[in-house]
Amino acid sequence: MTAATHREILAIRRARGSSVLLFLTDRCPVGCAHCSVDSRPDSPRITDFALLESLVDRLAAMPELTMVGISGGEPFVERRGLTLAVRRLAAAGKQVVIYTSGFWAASPRAPEWIDRLLPLTTAIYLSTDAHHVDGQGPERFVNAARVVAGHSVPIVVQCVDEGDSLAATRASLTEALGPDWPRRAELIPTHGLPHGRGAALYAWQQRTPGSGFGPCDVVDATVVRYDGRVTACCNESVIMGAGPAALRRDAADGEQVEAAVREFHDDDFFRALGAVGPGALTGLPQYRDLADREFSSICGLCWTMTKRRARAEQLSGGGEAGKHDALLAALASLTD
């Protein structure tokens, strides 16, 4: 498969409609205290493989999709599901990116089924920080980095930047790949999110007037869960069922999943959120009162707008709402 850097992957994700994220499982054995989706060793996992097969095949057949990310939970706990998804998506010419903690690397030699899958991927995102180390120790990260590098697959390491986590991660990368590790891996500092178990550790640090928010960087690629739920963005709370219902669709088969993905990709409101951002939308009549109201995050403003829009759609049959929709479509067209 074609290799890709972190910047190239982000560019594809920001190209609206070019990618989706396949959320393969809620389950994860590591138990990090900061987990933004509250994944646990006994969390739900795939039970309906016919549904999974149907939705994967639909994603594989969508010509506009060039990349599919696979996350969770920990996708490598789902041997059958991950194998099915990676093989079929890669066979369809999709770039496949997997997000993992590397828990599967208990020894320097990976299980054979993982060795067979890794060459089919475009990049592997390895997550590590003090919380991951507390859950599984540093050795698995080192082993995983060596295994992935052994297949010449690009490695992107995501590390929450707190305490000495970055320094410890650099040391682990040096141990795994040698002093020239930057030629084989990228280290991307991240921040903890106040979702899931992370809500007990983190909080948004400041409040911002609605007009001050720029484009949303997570609304250009939808998320498809293993159980058929499709969400407009990768906000972890939305994936797990929180927030406005208008941000989710529950599909019963692959055909409905495809329809939901396309609906979100083509929606003028979500297109505008990615193009100009909700701050610019506060200039529209229906959102003008939100310009000076303060929000702790862009998601809070989005949720307020989404709920208001859903109510307006229920109550209005056109008229002023139609004029406002025309303005929204004009802003959304800035993505073209």
Side-chain angles (χ1 to χ4, degrees):
M1 293 297 291
T2 302
T5 65
H6 177 62
R7 178 174 292 183
E8 290 168 340
I9 291 168
L10 287 182
I12 294 174
R13 286 174 56 185
R14 289 291 283 151
R16 187 162 190 82
S18 296
S19 69
V20 298
L21 180 68
L22 176 59
F23 190 93
L24 195 65
T25 183
D26 288 301
R27 185 165 295 190
C28 179
V30 182
C32 294
H34 67 340
C35 181
S36 59
V37 291
D38 197 19
S39 289
R40 302 176 186 273
D42 59 349
S43 292
R45 59 186 304 177
I46 302 169
T47 57
D48 189 342
F49 281 92
L51 172 60
L52 179 72
E53 184 175 10
S54 175
L55 67 86
V56 167
D57 285 345
R58 281 289 179 159
L59 296 178
M62 293 176 68
E64 68 269 33
L65 294 180
T66 61
M67 177 174 288
V68 177
I70 303 178
S71 72
E74 169 53 66
F76 280 91
V77 302
E78 298 283 1
R79 174 176 178 173
R80 178 180 171 186
L82 184 61
T83 299
L84 182 154
V86 172
R87 285 180 174 173
R88 296 198 182 187
L89 291 168
K94 310 302 184 187
Q95 297 185 64
V96 179
V97 176
I98 304 178
Y99 298 79
T100 177
S101 67
F103 92 98
W104 43 269
S107 68
R109 186 177 180 85
E112 289 187 8
W113 72 273
I114 292 177
D115 274 328
R116 291 193 294 268
L117 285 189
L118 290 175
L120 302 178
T121 65
T122 292
I124 297 293
Y125 276 68
L126 277 175
S127 296
T128 188
D129 48 51
H131 301 287
H132 283 89
V133 171
D134 285 345
Q136 64 182 18
E139 298 82 7
R140 296 191 184 220
F141 172 81
V142 170
N143 290 339
R146 286 174 176 164
V147 168
V148 176
H151 288 284
S152 299
V153 175
I155 302 169
V156 181
V157 179
Q158 296 187 128
C159 178
V160 175
D161 184 5
E162 57 186 11
D164 62 354
S165 286
L166 287 177
T169 299
R170 292 188 183 97
S172 291
L173 283 167
T174 300
E175 179 183 353
L177 306 176
D180 64 342
W181 65 261
R183 297 178 55 190
R184 309 170 76 182
E186 298 177 78
L187 177 56
I188 308 299
T190 62
H191 58 275
L193 297 172
H195 304 293
R197 293 197 295 277
L201 299 177
Y202 307 111
W204 301 117
Q205 296 301 309
Q206 63 183 23
R207 298 181 66 83
T208 302
S211 60
F213 288 100
C216 175
D217 61 1
V218 299
V219 77
D220 287 317
T222 56
V223 178
V224 177
R225 276 175 58 107
Y226 62 93
D227 57 3
R229 172 174 291 169
V230 182
T231 59
C233 70
C234 64
N235 178 300
E236 289 84 350
S237 295
V238 173
I239 294 171
M240 303 309 290
L247 294 174
R248 290 182 297 278
R249 302 288 185 272
D250 288 319
D253 55 34
E255 183 177 357
Q256 292 181 12
V257 165
E258 179 181 355
V261 169
R262 289 213 166 99
E263 179 186 354
F264 282 132
H265 283 172
D266 296 339
D267 187 283
D268 285 338
F269 176 70
F270 297 117
R271 288 172 59 213
L273 288 181
V276 297
L281 299 190
T282 62
L284 297 177
Q286 66 268 46
Y287 303 127
R288 194 165 292 155
D289 63 304
L290 303 178
D292 296 325
R293 187 188 303 183
E294 293 187 341
F295 297 86
S296 60
S297 70
I298 192 173
C299 299
L301 176 56
C302 170
W303 288 15
T304 300
M305 289 179 163
T306 299
K307 292 175 182 177
R308 183 174 296 184
R309 182 182 185 226
R311 287 196 299 269
E313 288 178 346
Q314 291 176 350
L315 297 174
S316 175
E320 287 301 310
K323 296 178 184 178
H324 298 165
D325 288 344
L327 291 171
L328 189 62
L331 289 172
S333 70
L334 295 177
T335 61
D336 299 333

PDB file of all heavy atoms in Angstrom, residues 13 15 49 61 74 93 115 133-134 140 152 179 181 211 252 261 265 268 299 323 326 330:
ATOM      1  N   ARG A  13      -8.071  13.768   5.261  1.00  0.00           N
ATOM      2  CA  ARG A  13      -9.196  13.897   6.186  1.00  0.00           C
ATOM      3  C   ARG A  13      -9.918  15.235   6.023  1.00  0.00           C
ATOM      4  O   ARG A  13     -11.132  15.321   6.200  1.00  0.00           O
ATOM      5  CB  ARG A  13      -8.700  13.755   7.630  1.00  0.00           C
ATOM      6  CG  ARG A  13      -8.339  12.333   8.026  1.00  0.00           C
ATOM      7  CD  ARG A  13      -7.714  12.272   9.396  1.00  0.00           C
ATOM      8  NE  ARG A  13      -8.557  12.878  10.420  1.00  0.00           N
ATOM      9  CZ  ARG A  13      -8.186  13.041  11.681  1.00  0.00           C
ATOM     10  NH1 ARG A  13      -6.970  12.657  12.064  1.00  0.00           N
ATOM     11  NH2 ARG A  13      -9.006  13.593  12.547  1.00  0.00           N
ATOM     12  N   ALA A  15     -10.134  16.863   3.215  1.00  0.00           N
ATOM     13  CA  ALA A  15     -10.777  16.909   1.893  1.00  0.00           C
ATOM     14  C   ALA A  15     -12.150  16.264   2.038  1.00  0.00           C
ATOM     15  O   ALA A  15     -12.268  15.038   2.062  1.00  0.00           O
ATOM     16  CB  ALA A  15      -9.928  16.189   0.858  1.00  0.00           C
ATOM     17  N   PHE A  49     -21.587  -9.841  12.698  1.00  0.00           N
ATOM     18  CA  PHE A  49     -20.558  -9.784  11.654  1.00  0.00           C
ATOM     19  C   PHE A  49     -21.157  -9.637  10.266  1.00  0.00           C
ATOM     20  O   PHE A  49     -20.491  -9.148   9.348  1.00  0.00           O
ATOM     21  CB  PHE A  49     -19.655 -11.024  11.739  1.00  0.00           C
ATOM     22  CG  PHE A  49     -18.631 -10.929  12.830  1.00  0.00           C
ATOM     23  CD1 PHE A  49     -18.904 -11.422  14.081  1.00  0.00           C
ATOM     24  CD2 PHE A  49     -17.403 -10.323  12.609  1.00  0.00           C
ATOM     25  CE1 PHE A  49     -17.976 -11.326  15.110  1.00  0.00           C
ATOM     26  CE2 PHE A  49     -16.466 -10.220  13.613  1.00  0.00           C
ATOM     27  CZ  PHE A  49     -16.750 -10.726  14.880  1.00  0.00           C
ATOM     28  N   ALA A  61     -16.829   0.128  -1.664  1.00  0.00           N
ATOM     29  CA  ALA A  61     -17.360   0.391  -3.002  1.00  0.00           C
ATOM     30  C   ALA A  61     -17.612   1.862  -3.283  1.00  0.00           C
ATOM     31  O   ALA A  61     -17.939   2.223  -4.422  1.00  0.00           O
ATOM     32  CB  ALA A  61     -18.660  -0.397  -3.201  1.00  0.00           C
ATOM     33  N   GLU A  74      -9.786  -0.557  21.070  1.00  0.00           N
ATOM     34  CA  GLU A  74      -8.534  -1.066  20.489  1.00  0.00           C
ATOM     35  C   GLU A  74      -8.882  -2.034  19.366  1.00  0.00           C
ATOM     36  O   GLU A  74      -9.367  -3.136  19.607  1.00  0.00           O
ATOM     37  CB  GLU A  74      -7.713  -1.771  21.577  1.00  0.00           C
ATOM     38  CG  GLU A  74      -6.536  -2.572  21.084  1.00  0.00           C
ATOM     39  CD  GLU A  74      -5.601  -1.772  20.190  1.00  0.00           C
ATOM     40  OE1 GLU A  74      -4.968  -0.831  20.678  1.00  0.00           O
ATOM     41  OE2 GLU A  74      -5.505  -2.121  18.983  1.00  0.00           O
ATOM     42  N   GLY A  93      -8.537  -0.775  -2.960  1.00  0.00           N
ATOM     43  CA  GLY A  93      -7.655   0.351  -3.260  1.00  0.00           C
ATOM     44  C   GLY A  93      -7.713   1.480  -2.256  1.00  0.00           C
ATOM     45  O   GLY A  93      -7.154   2.558  -2.509  1.00  0.00           O
ATOM     46  N   ASP A 115       1.188  -9.736  11.348  1.00  0.00           N
ATOM     47  CA  ASP A 115       2.236  -9.585  10.334  1.00  0.00           C
ATOM     48  C   ASP A 115       1.645  -9.591   8.922  1.00  0.00           C
ATOM     49  O   ASP A 115       2.168  -8.947   8.021  1.00  0.00           O
ATOM     50  CB  ASP A 115       3.267 -10.718  10.465  1.00  0.00           C
ATOM     51  CG  ASP A 115       4.349 -10.408  11.484  1.00  0.00           C
ATOM     52  OD1 ASP A 115       4.698  -9.221  11.645  1.00  0.00           O
ATOM     53  OD2 ASP A 115       4.844 -11.355  12.125  1.00  0.00           O
ATOM     54  N   VAL A 133       1.497   3.803  29.618  1.00  0.00           N
ATOM     55  CA  VAL A 133       2.570   3.081  30.301  1.00  0.00           C
ATOM     56  C   VAL A 133       2.074   2.489  31.613  1.00  0.00           C
ATOM     57  O   VAL A 133       2.417   1.365  31.982  1.00  0.00           O
ATOM     58  CB  VAL A 133       3.783   4.006  30.525  1.00  0.00           C
ATOM     59  CG1 VAL A 133       4.819   3.342  31.426  1.00  0.00           C
ATOM     60  CG2 VAL A 133       4.415   4.376  29.180  1.00  0.00           C
ATOM     61  N   ASP A 134       1.242   3.241  32.335  1.00  0.00           N
ATOM     62  CA  ASP A 134       0.667   2.710  33.576  1.00  0.00           C
ATOM     63  C   ASP A 134      -0.159   1.455  33.302  1.00  0.00           C
ATOM     64  O   ASP A 134      -0.199   0.538  34.124  1.00  0.00           O
ATOM     65  CB  ASP A 134      -0.225   3.765  34.247  1.00  0.00           C
ATOM     66  CG  ASP A 134       0.574   4.872  34.922  1.00  0.00           C
ATOM     67  OD1 ASP A 134       1.792   4.680  35.115  1.00  0.00           O
ATOM     68  OD2 ASP A 134      -0.021   5.919  35.245  1.00  0.00           O
ATOM     69  N   ARG A 140       5.670  -2.898  25.469  1.00  0.00           N
ATOM     70  CA  ARG A 140       4.792  -3.200  24.331  1.00  0.00           C
ATOM     71  C   ARG A 140       4.876  -2.120  23.264  1.00  0.00           C
ATOM     72  O   ARG A 140       4.818  -2.418  22.064  1.00  0.00           O
ATOM     73  CB  ARG A 140       3.352  -3.389  24.809  1.00  0.00           C
ATOM     74  CG  ARG A 140       3.194  -4.595  25.729  1.00  0.00           C
ATOM     75  CD  ARG A 140       1.749  -4.937  25.992  1.00  0.00           C
ATOM     76  NE  ARG A 140       1.649  -6.025  26.949  1.00  0.00           N
ATOM     77  CZ  ARG A 140       0.774  -7.021  26.874  1.00  0.00           C
ATOM     78  NH1 ARG A 140      -0.080  -7.067  25.865  1.00  0.00           N
ATOM     79  NH2 ARG A 140       0.744  -7.961  27.797  1.00  0.00           N
ATOM     80  N   SER A 152       8.188  -1.684   7.146  1.00  0.00           N
ATOM     81  CA  SER A 152       8.372  -0.413   6.420  1.00  0.00           C
ATOM     82  C   SER A 152       7.082   0.378   6.322  1.00  0.00           C
ATOM     83  O   SER A 152       6.849   1.100   5.347  1.00  0.00           O
ATOM     84  CB  SER A 152       8.943  -0.677   5.009  1.00  0.00           C
ATOM     85  OG  SER A 152      10.206  -1.302   5.102  1.00  0.00           O
ATOM     86  N   PRO A 179      18.882   5.923  17.258  1.00  0.00           N
ATOM     87  CA  PRO A 179      18.929   7.384  17.343  1.00  0.00           C
ATOM     88  C   PRO A 179      18.379   8.102  16.121  1.00  0.00           C
ATOM     89  O   PRO A 179      18.046   9.293  16.193  1.00  0.00           O
ATOM     90  CB  PRO A 179      20.415   7.679  17.542  1.00  0.00           C
ATOM     91  CG  PRO A 179      21.129   6.461  17.028  1.00  0.00           C
ATOM     92  CD  PRO A 179      20.215   5.312  17.310  1.00  0.00           C
ATOM     93  N   TRP A 181      15.567   7.511  14.781  1.00  0.00           N
ATOM     94  CA  TRP A 181      14.142   7.170  14.726  1.00  0.00           C
ATOM     95  C   TRP A 181      13.290   8.208  13.996  1.00  0.00           C
ATOM     96  O   TRP A 181      12.261   7.823  13.397  1.00  0.00           O
ATOM     97  CB  TRP A 181      13.586   6.923  16.135  1.00  0.00           C
ATOM     98  CG  TRP A 181      13.569   8.109  17.063  1.00  0.00           C
ATOM     99  CD1 TRP A 181      14.471   8.401  18.033  1.00  0.00           C
ATOM    100  CD2 TRP A 181      12.588   9.155  17.109  1.00  0.00           C
ATOM    101  NE1 TRP A 181      14.132   9.560  18.695  1.00  0.00           N
ATOM    102  CE2 TRP A 181      12.979  10.038  18.137  1.00  0.00           C
ATOM    103  CE3 TRP A 181      11.427   9.425  16.396  1.00  0.00           C
ATOM    104  CZ2 TRP A 181      12.243  11.191  18.458  1.00  0.00           C
ATOM    105  CZ3 TRP A 181      10.690  10.562  16.710  1.00  0.00           C
ATOM    106  CH2 TRP A 181      11.101  11.430  17.734  1.00  0.00           C
ATOM    107  N   SER A 211     -18.690  33.872  18.141  1.00  0.00           N
ATOM    108  CA  SER A 211     -18.125  34.418  16.903  1.00  0.00           C
ATOM    109  C   SER A 211     -16.633  34.160  16.768  1.00  0.00           C
ATOM    110  O   SER A 211     -16.063  34.360  15.696  1.00  0.00           O
ATOM    111  CB  SER A 211     -18.387  35.927  16.832  1.00  0.00           C
ATOM    112  OG  SER A 211     -17.779  36.581  17.937  1.00  0.00           O
ATOM    113  N   ALA A 252     -29.207  -0.023   9.639  1.00  0.00           N
ATOM    114  CA  ALA A 252     -29.429  -1.453   9.831  1.00  0.00           C
ATOM    115  C   ALA A 252     -28.632  -2.308   8.849  1.00  0.00           C
ATOM    116  O   ALA A 252     -28.540  -3.522   9.021  1.00  0.00           O
ATOM    117  CB  ALA A 252     -30.918  -1.778   9.691  1.00  0.00           C
ATOM    118  N   VAL A 261     -23.634   8.294   5.433  1.00  0.00           N
ATOM    119  CA  VAL A 261     -22.337   8.925   5.185  1.00  0.00           C
ATOM    120  C   VAL A 261     -22.480  10.028   4.149  1.00  0.00           C
ATOM    121  O   VAL A 261     -21.987  11.151   4.330  1.00  0.00           O
ATOM    122  CB  VAL A 261     -21.300   7.869   4.727  1.00  0.00           C
ATOM    123  CG1 VAL A 261     -20.037   8.555   4.197  1.00  0.00           C
ATOM    124  CG2 VAL A 261     -20.947   6.930   5.866  1.00  0.00           C
ATOM    125  N   HIS A 265     -21.933  14.098   4.526  1.00  0.00           N
ATOM    126  CA  HIS A 265     -20.932  14.741   3.671  1.00  0.00           C
ATOM    127  C   HIS A 265     -21.536  15.865   2.829  1.00  0.00           C
ATOM    128  O   HIS A 265     -20.885  16.873   2.573  1.00  0.00           O
ATOM    129  CB  HIS A 265     -20.286  13.705   2.746  1.00  0.00           C
ATOM    130  CG  HIS A 265     -19.273  12.849   3.431  1.00  0.00           C
ATOM    131  ND1 HIS A 265     -18.692  11.758   2.824  1.00  0.00           N
ATOM    132  CD2 HIS A 265     -18.716  12.931   4.657  1.00  0.00           C
ATOM    133  CE1 HIS A 265     -17.832  11.198   3.660  1.00  0.00           C
ATOM    134  NE2 HIS A 265     -17.832  11.887   4.766  1.00  0.00           N
ATOM    135  N   ASP A 268     -25.265  20.978   3.930  1.00  0.00           N
ATOM    136  CA  ASP A 268     -24.699  22.326   3.883  1.00  0.00           C
ATOM    137  C   ASP A 268     -24.246  22.829   5.252  1.00  0.00           C
ATOM    138  O   ASP A 268     -23.239  23.536   5.354  1.00  0.00           O
ATOM    139  CB  ASP A 268     -25.728  23.309   3.305  1.00  0.00           C
ATOM    140  CG  ASP A 268     -25.888  23.162   1.808  1.00  0.00           C
ATOM    141  OD1 ASP A 268     -24.969  22.632   1.166  1.00  0.00           O
ATOM    142  OD2 ASP A 268     -26.939  23.571   1.281  1.00  0.00           O
ATOM    143  N   CYS A 299     -17.419  22.431  20.181  1.00  0.00           N
ATOM    144  CA  CYS A 299     -18.482  21.428  20.188  1.00  0.00           C
ATOM    145  C   CYS A 299     -19.733  21.963  20.880  1.00  0.00           C
ATOM    146  O   CYS A 299     -20.856  21.676  20.448  1.00  0.00           O
ATOM    147  CB  CYS A 299     -18.005  20.151  20.880  1.00  0.00           C
ATOM    148  SG  CYS A 299     -16.602  19.373  20.062  1.00  0.00           S
ATOM    149  N   LYS A 323     -34.725  31.143   3.104  1.00  0.00           N
ATOM    150  CA  LYS A 323     -33.720  32.171   2.843  1.00  0.00           C
ATOM    151  C   LYS A 323     -32.453  31.888   3.632  1.00  0.00           C
ATOM    152  O   LYS A 323     -31.339  32.038   3.137  1.00  0.00           O
ATOM    153  CB  LYS A 323     -34.271  33.541   3.211  1.00  0.00           C
ATOM    154  CG  LYS A 323     -35.462  33.993   2.380  1.00  0.00           C
ATOM    155  CD  LYS A 323     -35.970  35.349   2.859  1.00  0.00           C
ATOM    156  CE  LYS A 323     -37.224  35.778   2.106  1.00  0.00           C
ATOM    157  NZ  LYS A 323     -37.737  37.075   2.624  1.00  0.00           N
ATOM    158  N   ALA A 326     -30.441  29.211   2.075  1.00  0.00           N
ATOM    159  CA  ALA A 326     -29.700  29.683   0.907  1.00  0.00           C
ATOM    160  C   ALA A 326     -28.390  30.331   1.327  1.00  0.00           C
ATOM    161  O   ALA A 326     -27.344  30.141   0.696  1.00  0.00           O
ATOM    162  CB  ALA A 326     -30.551  30.667   0.105  1.00  0.00           C
ATOM    163  N   ALA A 330     -24.497  29.022   0.557  1.00  0.00           N
ATOM    164  CA  ALA A 330     -23.446  29.874  -0.015  1.00  0.00           C
ATOM    165  C   ALA A 330     -22.167  29.747   0.789  1.00  0.00           C
ATOM    166  O   ALA A 330     -21.063  29.679   0.242  1.00  0.00           O
ATOM    167  CB  ALA A 330     -23.924  31.320  -0.063  1.00  0.00           C
TER     168      ALA A 330
END
